[in-house]
């Protein structure tokens, strides 16, 4: 219960006198009491290191006391003033009280920033109290101070009891004046803390608000709460600057200041307001403005305004009305209102910027949607045009093949039956007609094949195909073309080459197109190598020529339809640019791929990769093996 009592006694303490029993037998109890003091101060939220404090080393008249130096070493860890006292005789007690009182008042003055001129409050109090105490040395932190109360002979210097009373009254008045100053400063600090709390809370709230109406309403509510008013408004300046607009009004049907601006002769008031400086209208300050506003609401005793500035432009006004009497400290109130209006202006600017960005985003999304729809429409039209083009090419190719077949057939008949008996130069002309019809038939067939594959009209069967045998057949078919240009072909085939799964006819067309492309771009007397080898889970067929090569930037386009390298008038090679696109379409239809490796002047290497044919099921494999052993 004693510890609990000590804890309660320390609640709200402003200063401490730690009374120490100087007896040798109480040393451990003194040390324990100091630690208990620290714990109880911490429990009350008081900092032991900063609270004003002195030590009173009591019972110095006992025979066995601990030396003062040892007590100070063990108990005075803060090195505060220490006094040797004998309470039964009054020695040193009053000095300890005077010292701790001075330290307490100096601490309070510093805490509340009370300016006392050249003489501090603590010094004034000490001087007053010292009139009743004999001269003593100034206490040194951590050192003992010994002084004596005036003796009866000294008290004779006090002339009368009336003089003593007068001094006491003067001292009390001076102390009370200082105490009043402290209270006033404390009240002002409390008001400032409340204002800062409101500003902080408003800043925290509007930080998450992007709605203009809600953040302005929050600003008005904060102003009313802190200023203790029930009538206020938030006005915005019209875009043309000709009038004020009521945005939020609290406690009023219509805002009197807004009405005063709209009334005849309100132009000067509006001009004053839009200058961007706050307005304080009371019976003493700006009485003519107060009178003009009171015409619209006679209850108003005073008003304050604070500008909402966005850059150098006035965006609005925060207005506070006092309906009973003017504020006692209007300047402080207006300072708070201006700080709140500054935060509201920043929040308003952010909200408007966000709204503007959202509007721009909506406009941009709308324009993107419109452009996207136009692009989709254009794409649909292009696809339709492309479809019609493919359909036209397919149709015209098919229609042209029939007469071309007749032309080729009759030219062959004429050459075979009567070619030698025809007069010159008809045999030569018949040969040209036959060759050109063959060439045109080949190109139309290629165009028809590409159109059929792209339109999804081509059919592909899937059976095991030996690319080695297929490559030999394609080389045999191109022997005449190779001979005419004097090109030496080479065929390199890896042993135990797996088969691929595909359509033999379509794969032959693709390999033929690759070999024909190499022949077309190879010079006379060159060499073409065909290499077939397994790689991973696919078989790769590479056709290497010694042609002019292909620049890297043009390599991706050569597999597109009708794309050929060279100038169309001077350097365009023979053909219509469908051989390599056919190879790409056939490769993709078989789950494969095709690519080129080339550098200008170093020829080109085209590679067609096709996946292995799947292994036959176990039962079929056993049957195949059995059939093979029987036939053997």
């Amino acid at each position: 219960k004693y510890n609990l009592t000590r804890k309660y006694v320390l609640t709200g303490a402003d200063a401490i006198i730690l009374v120490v029993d100087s007896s040798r037998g109480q040393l451990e109890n003194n040390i324990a009491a100091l630690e208990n003091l620290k714990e109880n101060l911490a429990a009350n939220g008081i900092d032991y290191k900063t609270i004003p404090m002195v030590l009173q080393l009591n019972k110095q008249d006992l025979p066995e006391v601990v030396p003062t130096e040892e007590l100070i070493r063990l108990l005075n860890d803060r090195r505060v003033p220490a006094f040797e006292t004998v309470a039964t005789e009054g020695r040193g007690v009053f000095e300890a009280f005077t010292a701790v009182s001075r330290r307490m008042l100096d601490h309070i003055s510093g805490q509340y920033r009370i300016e006392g001129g050249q003489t501090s409050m603590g010094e004034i109090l000490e001087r007053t109290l010292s009139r009743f105490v004999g001269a003593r040395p100034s206490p040194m932190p951590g050192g003992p101070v010994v002084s004596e109360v005036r003796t009866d002979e000294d008290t004779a210097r006090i002339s009368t009891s009336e003089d003593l009373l007068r001094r006491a009254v003067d001292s009390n008045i001076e102390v009370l004046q200082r105490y009043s100053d402290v209270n006033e400063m404390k009240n002002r600090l409390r008001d400032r803390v409340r204002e800062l709390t409101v500003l902080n809370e408003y800043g925290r709230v509007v930080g998450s608000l992007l709605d203009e109406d809600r953040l302005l309403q929050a600003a008005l509510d904060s102003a009313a709460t802190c200023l203790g008013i029930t009538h206020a408004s938030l006005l915005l300046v019209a875009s043309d600057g000709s009038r004020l607009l009521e945005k939020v009004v609290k406690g009023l049907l219509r805002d009197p200041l807004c009405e005063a601006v709209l009334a005849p002769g309100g132009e000067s008031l509006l001009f004053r307001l839009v200058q961007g400086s706050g307005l304080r209208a009371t019976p003493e300050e700006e009485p003519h403005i107060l009178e003009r506003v009171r015409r619209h609401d006679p209850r108003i005793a005073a008003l304050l305004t604070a500008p909402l500035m966005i850059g150098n432009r006035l965006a609005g006004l925060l207005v506070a009305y006092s309906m009973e009497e003017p504020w006692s400290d209007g300047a402080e109130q207006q300072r708070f209102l201006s700080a709140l209006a500054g935060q509201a202006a920043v929040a308003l600017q952010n909200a408007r910027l966000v709204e503007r960005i959202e509007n721009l985003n909506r406009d941009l999304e709308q324009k993107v949607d419109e452009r996207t729809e136009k692009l989709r429409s254009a794409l649909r039209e292009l696809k339709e045009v492309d479809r019609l083009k493919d359909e036209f090419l397919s149709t015209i190719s098919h229609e042209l093949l029939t007469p071309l077949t007749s032309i080729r057939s009759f030219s062959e008949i004429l050459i075979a039956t009567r070619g030698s008996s025809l007069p010159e130069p008809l045999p030569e002309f018949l040969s040209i007609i036959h060759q050109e019809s063959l060439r045109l038939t080949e190109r139309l067939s290629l165009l028809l094949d590409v159109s059929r594959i792209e339109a999804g009209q081509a059919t592909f069967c899937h059976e095991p195909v030996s690319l080695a045998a297929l490559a030999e057949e394609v080389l045999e078919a191109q022997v005449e073309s190779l001979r005419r240009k004097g090109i030496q072909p080479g065929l390199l085939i890896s042993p135990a080459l797996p088969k691929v799964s595909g359509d033999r006819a379509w794969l032959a067309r693709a390999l033929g197109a690759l070999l024909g492309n190499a022949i077309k771009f190879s010079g006379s007397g060159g060499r073409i190598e065909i290499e077939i080898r397994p790689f991973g889970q696919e078989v790769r067929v590479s056709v290497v020529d010694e042609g002019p090569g292909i620049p890297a930037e043009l390599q991706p386009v050569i597999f597109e339809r009708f794309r050929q390298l060279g100038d169309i008038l001077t350097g365009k090679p023979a053909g219509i640019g469908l051989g390599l696109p056919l190879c790409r379409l056939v490769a993709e239809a078989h789950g494969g791929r095709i690519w080129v490796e080339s550098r200008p002047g170093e020829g080109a290497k085209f590679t067609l990769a096709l996946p292995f044919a799947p292994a036959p099921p176990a039962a079929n494999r056993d049957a195949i093996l059995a059939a093979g052993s029987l036939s053997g």
Side-chain angles (χ1 to χ4, degrees), residues 24 156 184 556:
R24 174 66 67 177
E184 183 179 355

Side-chain angles (χ1 to χ4, degrees), residues 390-404 443-449 451:
D390 290 342
E391 185 176 335
F392 168 76
L393 290 176
S394 178
T395 301
I396 198 67
S397 300
H398 187 273
E399 293 297 325
L400 288 176
L401 280 175
T402 301
L404 277 174
R443 293 179 179 178
L444 287 175
S445 298
L446 183 60
L447 177 60
L448 184 61
D449 288 342
S451 299

Side-chain angles (χ1 to χ4, degrees), residues 299-571:
R299 300 174 298 165
I300 297 175
L303 67 92
L304 300 173
T305 69
L308 276 71
M309 302 296 297
I310 297 181
N312 296 323
R313 183 179 61 85
L314 180 69
L317 291 171
L318 188 57
V319 188
Y321 296 102
S322 177
M323 311 304 284
E324 298 177 356
E325 59 181 1
W327 289 278
S328 58
D329 191 359
E332 293 292 337
Q333 308 289 347
Q334 192 171 31
R335 222 177 347 254
F336 161 73
L337 203 63
S338 298
L340 183 63
Q343 283 196 341
V346 173
L348 178 62
Q349 184 180 23
N350 292 339
R352 289 180 175 179
L353 287 175
V354 170
E355 183 180 6
R356 183 180 178 186
I357 292 173
E358 290 178 348
N359 291 335
L360 290 174
N361 286 338
R362 282 193 293 268
D363 293 342
L364 182 60
E365 288 176 359
Q366 183 178 356
K367 290 180 180 179
V368 169
D369 290 341
E370 292 174 358
R371 298 293 188 276
T372 303
E373 183 57 35
K374 289 182 180 179
L375 289 174
R376 287 173 179 167
S377 177
L379 181 61
R380 287 193 294 269
E381 293 177 2
L382 287 175
K383 287 183 176 179
E384 179 63 18
V385 170
D386 191 60
R387 186 190 65 79
L388 293 175
K389 181 259 298 179
D390 290 342
E391 185 176 335
F392 168 76
L393 290 176
S394 178
T395 301
I396 198 67
S397 300
H398 187 273
E399 293 297 325
L400 288 176
L401 280 175
T402 301
L404 277 174
T405 302
S406 299
I407 292 172
R408 185 187 63 189
S409 300
F410 284 117
S411 65
E412 288 177 353
I413 293 172
L414 287 173
I415 292 173
T417 58
R418 303 184 60 183
S420 59
S421 62
L422 290 174
E424 294 292 337
L426 290 182
E428 181 183 356
F429 289 167
L430 280 174
S431 177
I432 293 174
I433 291 172
H434 182 256
Q435 291 296 327
E436 292 301 319
S437 65
L438 286 175
R439 189 160 66 92
L440 188 56
T441 299
E442 179 186 0
R443 293 179 179 178
L444 287 175
S445 298
L446 183 60
L447 177 60
L448 184 61
D449 288 342
V450 171
S451 299
R452 286 169 56 199
I453 295 175
E454 289 186 335
Q457 298 174 354
T459 56
F460 294 86
C461 63
H462 291 279
E463 58 184 4
V465 177
S466 170
L467 289 180
L470 198 62
E472 291 175 352
E473 294 178 8
V474 169
L475 268 176
E476 183 67 25
Q478 298 278 9
V479 167
E480 183 61 25
S481 298
L482 292 167
R483 185 188 62 78
R484 282 199 302 267
K485 296 192 74 172
I487 296 174
Q488 295 295 325
L491 181 60
L492 302 175
I493 302 175
S494 297
L497 185 68
K499 293 184 177 182
V500 299
S501 176
D503 190 297
R504 182 180 179 83
W506 283 110
L507 291 176
R509 293 294 307 275
L511 290 180
L514 277 181
L515 182 58
N517 183 76
I519 294 171
K520 180 168 60 175
F521 286 98
S522 294
S524 299
R527 182 173 178 82
I528 294 176
E529 295 285 348
I530 301 176
E531 179 183 357
I532 307 176
R533 60 188 177 88
F535 189 90
Q537 295 297 314
E538 59 188 12
V539 176
R540 292 184 177 181
V541 181
S542 297
V543 180
V544 183
D545 62 59
E546 298 176 349
I550 305 169
E553 64 273 12
L554 298 178
Q555 292 177 14
V557 303
I558 60 176
F559 295 101
E560 298 177 6
R561 291 182 302 168
F562 310 114
R563 298 296 296 270
Q564 288 184 293
L565 304 183
D567 185 82
I568 192 170
L569 297 178
T570 60

Side-chain angles (χ1 to χ4, degrees), residues 116-387:
Q118 296 181 352
T119 305
S120 68
M121 287 180 57
E123 187 175 354
I124 293 172
L125 177 62
E126 185 178 34
R127 289 179 182 176
T128 304
L129 296 176
S130 295
R131 295 172 185 173
F132 305 98
V133 184
R136 59 184 180 83
S138 300
M140 297 296 293
V145 175
V146 180
S147 60
E148 295 292 342
V149 181
R150 287 176 180 267
T151 63
D152 292 338
E153 295 177 358
D154 295 327
T155 58
R157 300 175 186 175
I158 301 175
S159 57
T160 63
S161 59
E162 294 176 358
D163 187 29
L164 180 61
L165 180 59
R166 179 181 58 78
R167 295 182 183 182
V169 170
D170 291 342
S171 299
N172 286 337
I173 290 175
E174 195 168 5
V175 171
L176 287 174
Q177 182 62 45
R178 293 293 181 174
Y179 183 74
S180 177
D181 293 342
V182 170
N183 279 337
E184 183 179 355
M185 181 60 69
K186 189 174 183 179
N187 292 334
R188 289 183 181 179
L189 288 174
R190 184 174 60 247
D191 293 341
R192 298 296 82 77
V193 169
R194 183 174 68 253
E195 292 172 2
L196 291 174
T197 302
V198 170
L199 289 174
N200 179 69
E201 182 64 20
Y202 177 71
R204 186 185 63 81
V205 171
V206 299
S208 59
L209 289 180
L210 296 176
D211 182 76
E212 181 175 318
D213 294 335
R214 292 178 61 191
L215 68 88
L216 294 180
Q217 180 67 58
L220 200 63
D221 292 341
S222 298
T225 299
C226 189
L227 299 179
I229 58 176
T230 56
H231 298 73
S233 64
L234 205 152
L235 310 177
L236 297 182
V237 179
S239 57
D240 59 359
S242 62
R243 64 189 186 281
L244 298 176
L245 306 175
E246 296 177 350
K247 185 64 176 179
V248 186
V249 179
K250 186 179 185 67
L252 299 162
L253 293 177
R254 298 295 303 273
D255 180 71
L257 182 60
C258 190
E259 294 289 308
V261 169
L262 293 175
E267 295 83 3
S268 60
L269 177 58
L270 177 63
F271 179 77
R272 171 68 185 280
L273 294 172
V274 297
Q275 297 305 307
S277 58
L279 174 66
R280 184 164 69 250
T282 66
E284 291 76 24
E285 300 180 74
E286 309 285 1
H288 60 288
I289 294 179
L290 178 62
E291 183 59 31
R292 175 179 287 275
V293 175
R294 282 171 58 86
R295 294 174 190 172
H296 302 277
D297 194 332
R299 300 174 298 165
I300 297 175
L303 67 92
L304 300 173
T305 69
L308 276 71
M309 302 296 297
I310 297 181
N312 296 323
R313 183 179 61 85
L314 180 69
L317 291 171
L318 188 57
V319 188
Y321 296 102
S322 177
M323 311 304 284
E324 298 177 356
E325 59 181 1
W327 289 278
S328 58
D329 191 359
E332 293 292 337
Q333 308 289 347
Q334 192 171 31
R335 222 177 347 254
F336 161 73
L337 203 63
S338 298
L340 183 63
Q343 283 196 341
V346 173
L348 178 62
Q349 184 180 23
N350 292 339
R352 289 180 175 179
L353 287 175
V354 170
E355 183 180 6
R356 183 180 178 186
I357 292 173
E358 290 178 348
N359 291 335
L360 290 174
N361 286 338
R362 282 193 293 268
D363 293 342
L364 182 60
E365 288 176 359
Q366 183 178 356
K367 290 180 180 179
V368 169
D369 290 341
E370 292 174 358
R371 298 293 188 276
T372 303
E373 183 57 35
K374 289 182 180 179
L375 289 174
R376 287 173 179 167
S377 177
L379 181 61
R380 287 193 294 269
E381 293 177 2
L382 287 175
K383 287 183 176 179
E384 179 63 18
V385 170
D386 191 60
R387 186 190 65 79

